[in-house]
Amino acid sequence: MEIVKDVVCPFCGCLCDDGEVMVENGDVTGTKNLCRIGHAKFMHSAHKSSRHLDPLIRQENGELKKVDMDTAIEESARILVEANWPILYGWSATLCESQQKGIELTELVGGVFDNTAAVCHGPSLLAVQDRGYPTCSLDEAKNYADLVFYWGCNPVHAHPRHMSRYSIHARGFFREKGIHDRTMIVVDPRKTDSAKMADIHIQPYPGTDHILISALRMILNGVEPQQDVIAGVPKEQLYELVDIVGKHQFSVVFFGMGLTQSRGKHRNIDNAITLIADLNKHIKSVLVPMRGHYNVAGCNIVAAYETGYPFCVDFSKGYPTYNPGESSTIDMLTSESADAMLVCGADPGHSFPNKAVASMAKIPVVNINPVINPTDPVCDIIIPCAFSGVEHAGTGYRMDCMPMRLKEVVSPPEGIISDTEILKKIILNVKQML
């Protein structure tokens, strides 16, 4: 049995880099130092029953028929070339090398390059463009932070090792006692498992984050709010919270989709960034988004580097333009503007609203993914690929935008290639057809 050490886990934005994977006869047999979800990701690669092992094309009778890889790739290229305004969506559960090829392909076919940020932290990106990005690395949070906020997120379930590696329980250079050197504050309308661990749990009404942040900013700047209860929180509790903040040296606000996808969206983050500026008048304070997919941050970085825009990049004019709300995947699908779609490194059938999925069922959809997933029933072509970060090496970016190198731990099944290679072949076919 071989033990592969220092393995980066390709599940969530934490990209934990201390994993150990046991390999026997070319299959993963076990892991160490990973959460249950990360462990399942590696073990999934060995379960052939959960994977397509051959490309599939849907026939006129609705049945999926096995075809060879070249046929599936050629047909995928034909769909994209014949489309007027195709969407190339996903890219968050794959590597930066594949994302670069995805952008190249999108430019060739005059489509829209969009990633899962459109339905999670897209509002954060809009706010950062407006207000700046007062952030730090996860390692700085581990070593310096003595006050930790979790706002609109539940790391116990979504990022299971986040608290033990980077915040509450981690023993940092200046926080040697771990949890005993820190105060944890959770802001969430629900009493989540993360909230149960908090020293202080603030429970605002759902959708009132902007009001709550504004009240905190008023108090910090010496202006007393008029209401006795603000966003469902007693005014006295907010004053106590501000007093607690003043007794610390370094605060970090980790925020999730409870802030980005509730009423206000990017204006919530706008206000939160301004709150960080106000806090910095008193103590050092930073803001870090809790990115979900393991390389969603990488996709925004690659897209911004290649095109100037982080997501919703439209190449229909022959050059990149950016108009979230029009060139975002959900809006294009619900308005039935898109006439073809390629999915890679995501599962929109699981996460999109019904109207968007119904629109997908009306257009040709190509799905490049390593496993059977809920997007398959609306797909015309399914191309199986290797598990990125398990069967294919490359680069990913952690939630704090730190680049990490992911390893190839085992080889993919015979006949299965990486999504990077699949995209290269589609690009070659597209160039021949244009």
Side-chain angles (χ1 to χ4, degrees):
M1 182 177 69
E2 179 190 3
I3 299 178
V4 185
K5 296 187 176 182
D6 300 322
V7 174
V8 177
C9 171
F11 173 68
C12 75
C14 290
L15 281 180
C16 299
D17 58 357
D18 60 341
E20 295 184 12
V21 180
M22 293 70 166
V23 179
E24 191 168 358
N25 298 324
D27 286 326
V28 176
T29 58
T31 67
K32 284 180 66 177
N33 301 334
L34 299 179
C35 69
R36 292 179 66 181
I37 309 173
H39 169 80
K41 179 75 179 275
F42 280 92
M43 297 304 296
H44 214 63
S45 65
H47 298 159
K48 305 298 187 290
S49 61
S50 64
R51 307 180 66 162
H52 294 297
L53 297 177
D54 297 283
L56 303 167
I57 293 182
R58 197 172 299 279
Q59 305 300 299
E60 290 184 2
N61 62 3
E63 297 294 322
L64 287 168
K65 178 184 177 182
K66 291 182 181 180
V67 297
D68 61 84
M69 185 67 75
D70 290 339
T71 300
I73 287 172
E74 183 179 350
E75 184 63 16
S76 300
R78 185 192 62 77
I79 287 172
L80 294 174
V81 168
E82 292 180 357
N84 291 317
W85 203 21
I87 303 169
L88 286 83
Y89 173 81
W91 313 109
S92 299
T94 188
L95 302 170
C96 294
E97 292 78 4
S98 300
Q99 295 161 0
Q100 287 180 308
K101 291 300 171 185
I103 292 170
E104 182 181 349
L105 177 59
T106 309
E107 185 172 13
L108 282 171
V109 300
V112 170
F113 181 88
D114 197 12
N115 80 324
T116 60
V119 292
C120 61
H121 274 278
S124 303
L125 298 171
L126 297 176
V128 165
Q129 290 166 345
D130 284 344
R131 308 293 295 181
Y133 195 24
T135 190
C136 71
S137 71
L138 292 179
D139 304 286
E140 287 175 297
K142 168 186 173 181
N143 288 317
Y144 289 95
D146 59 347
L147 178 61
V148 178
F149 285 84
Y150 283 109
W151 197 311
C153 55
N154 185 14
V156 167
H157 293 290
H159 302 83
R161 298 189 74 207
H162 189 274
M163 289 193 285
S164 61
R165 279 181 60 82
Y166 303 119
S167 64
I168 297 303
H169 300 289
R171 296 179 184 272
F173 190 84
F174 298 105
R175 307 295 170 212
E176 297 177 354
K177 296 179 182 178
I179 192 171
H180 301 293
D181 277 343
R182 295 188 174 94
T183 301
M184 176 180 173
I185 299 172
V186 169
V187 183
D188 200 308
R190 304 168 301 155
K191 193 170 182 63
T192 63
D193 287 332
S194 299
K196 294 172 185 176
M197 299 174 62
D199 298 294
I200 300 169
H201 179 202
I202 306 294
Q203 286 186 276
Y205 293 139
T208 59
D209 299 277
H210 194 281
I211 298 170
L212 183 62
I213 295 169
S214 297
L216 288 171
R217 289 184 55 211
M218 289 175 67
I219 295 169
L220 280 166
N221 287 286
V223 180
E224 183 178 356
Q226 297 302 306
Q227 294 84 2
D228 293 329
V229 178
I230 302 160
V233 181
K235 180 168 64 175
E236 293 76 15
Q237 190 175 7
L238 296 183
Y239 272 95
E240 290 172 6
L241 179 60
V242 170
D243 287 340
I244 289 168
V245 169
K247 296 175 183 177
H248 292 78
Q249 298 173 319
F250 190 117
S251 73
V252 56
V253 179
F254 294 108
F255 68 98
M257 288 175 61
L259 200 57
T260 66
Q261 295 298 320
S262 61
R263 183 184 300 170
K265 294 203 171 182
H266 71 285
R267 293 304 179 196
N268 291 338
I269 316 304
D270 245 5
N271 212 13
I273 292 171
T274 311
L275 172 64
I276 296 300
D278 291 337
L279 286 171
N280 270 298
K281 297 173 185 176
H282 307 279
I283 67 170
K284 175 66 178 176
S285 194
V286 294
L287 189 78
V288 179
M290 296 286 281
R291 307 304 297 268
H293 292 79
Y294 73 88
N295 201 24
V296 60
C299 188
N300 299 141
I301 289 168
V302 170
Y305 178 82
E306 295 276 353
T307 72
Y309 306 113
F311 69 122
C312 302
V313 187
D314 183 7
F315 286 95
S316 61
K317 295 181 180 179
Y319 55 88
T321 60
Y322 176 64
N323 190 12
E326 179 183 316
S327 60
S328 49
T329 302
I330 299 294
D331 296 285
M332 289 179 65
L333 288 173
T334 53
S335 65
E336 299 190 356
S337 302
D339 54 354
M341 186 173 183
L342 181 144
V343 178
C344 180
D347 185 10
H350 174 266
S351 56
F352 276 11
N354 290 340
K355 190 174 180 181
V357 177
S359 179
M360 287 174 63
K362 299 175 184 177
I363 61 175
V365 178
V366 179
N367 190 16
I368 304 173
N369 264 304
V371 294
I372 299 168
N373 63 35
T375 303
D376 289 347
V378 296
C379 291
D380 295 270
I381 301 176
I382 299 170
I383 306 178
C385 63
F387 271 97
S388 298
V390 181
E391 301 167 342
H392 174 218
T395 305
Y397 279 77
R398 207 166 59 183
M399 64 171 67
D400 58 347
C401 299
M402 291 293 169
M404 314 283 283
R405 188 68 182 174
L406 283 75
K407 294 183 177 181
E408 180 180 325
V409 179
V410 294
S411 299
E414 186 177 354
I416 301 297
I417 58 177
S418 69
D419 49 10
T420 308
E421 293 302 316
I422 292 168
L423 291 165
K424 286 179 181 178
K425 290 176 182 289
I426 293 177
I427 287 170
L428 286 174
N429 277 267
V430 167
K431 287 180 177 178
Q432 291 171 3
M433 294 176 185
L434 289 173

